[in-house]
Amino acid sequence: MTEPRAARVLALVSGSGTLLEAVLQACTDPGYAVDVVAVGADREGIEGLERARRRGIPTFVEPVSAHPDRSAWDAALAARIDAHDPDLVLSAGFMKILGPAVLGSHRVVNTHPALLPAFPGAHAVRDALAHGVRVTGCTLHEVDAGVDTGPILAQRAVNVLPGDTQESLHERIKVVEREMLVAALPGLARVHPLDEA
């Protein structure tokens, strides 16, 4: 019986790339069946791209401003992703909404700093604190056309501590978020020889 090959994962980043770094660190283990084949971004000059470049991983930048509208950008981004033939696309702190060209041709997963369906959107940690919840956490989910509405793949809880600020709570969520992603990614992206027949 043939062993499954390492899954080809393409990561999209918009900032410092700490989620990406956690995955890249895991990839140094030969038993971790994930290969990050490329890292894409919507802007130049970010640490997420530098993390990939320092490891010799191909990178690309596809800024929205280079296109007449979001639809054209989405099509261009889809073409850039297609060129690397990934099995899975990881949105690792990518702060742009993906459109039908990308989502129609690739399985995309994303992490979110709340226990979805609670607190979707860009201000999840702030919103959780404002609502006074005692427990929040993080979610790994498939990306669909909505905002943080895709099927949930994994979740982990994080207690809200007395005196927590948005920053202190978010930092603790990020630690758990990275652990969750690293643990789940090989199973999500696994490719068996029959898949390629």
Side-chain angles (χ1 to χ4, degrees):
M1 186 173 168
T2 309
E3 284 292 305
R5 67 167 171 81
R8 297 173 57 83
V9 172
L10 183 145
L12 297 174
V13 295
S14 288
S16 64
T18 55
L19 275 169
L20 170 64
E21 180 66 26
V23 173
L24 294 175
Q25 288 287 341
C27 289
T28 62
D29 177 353
Y32 191 73
V34 168
D35 181 19
V36 177
V37 296
V39 174
D42 57 324
R43 58 199 178 109
E44 216 18 292
I46 58 172
E47 179 61 18
L49 288 172
E50 293 308 313
R51 292 178 192 276
R53 289 169 180 160
R54 285 193 291 268
R55 288 172 168 87
I57 296 169
T59 63
F60 64 85
V61 177
E62 197 60 59
V64 175
S65 60
H67 301 279
D69 54 37
R70 288 299 283 259
S71 178
W73 171 76
D74 184 53
L77 181 62
R80 298 296 287 268
I81 294 170
D82 290 345
H84 297 280
D85 192 29
D87 301 309
L88 185 74
V89 176
L90 169 64
S91 174
F94 190 63
M95 302 307 289
K96 294 284 185 289
I97 301 294
L98 298 170
V102 172
L103 298 178
S105 54
H106 297 283
R107 185 181 186 207
V108 183
V109 297
N110 178 55
T111 64
H112 181 75
L115 294 174
L116 294 173
F119 311 120
H123 304 291
V125 179
R126 182 195 71 188
D127 295 347
L129 280 173
H131 278 77
V133 297
R134 304 289 179 114
V135 178
T136 185
C138 52
T139 302
L140 177 64
H141 66 97
E142 291 201 32
V143 177
D144 63 10
V147 177
D148 300 322
T149 54
I152 292 169
L153 304 168
Q155 288 186 310
R156 293 200 180 174
V158 174
N159 289 326
V160 180
L161 303 179
D164 254 337
T165 63
Q166 187 173 328
E167 292 72 27
S168 65
L169 178 57
H170 202 178
E171 283 307 310
R172 289 204 320 284
I173 291 172
K174 285 179 182 177
V175 171
V176 176
E177 193 173 20
R178 291 191 285 264
E179 292 169 352
M180 174 186 68
L181 176 62
V182 167
L185 198 56
L188 290 175
R190 187 168 293 129
V191 179
H192 295 279
L194 288 178
D195 294 342
E196 301 180 308

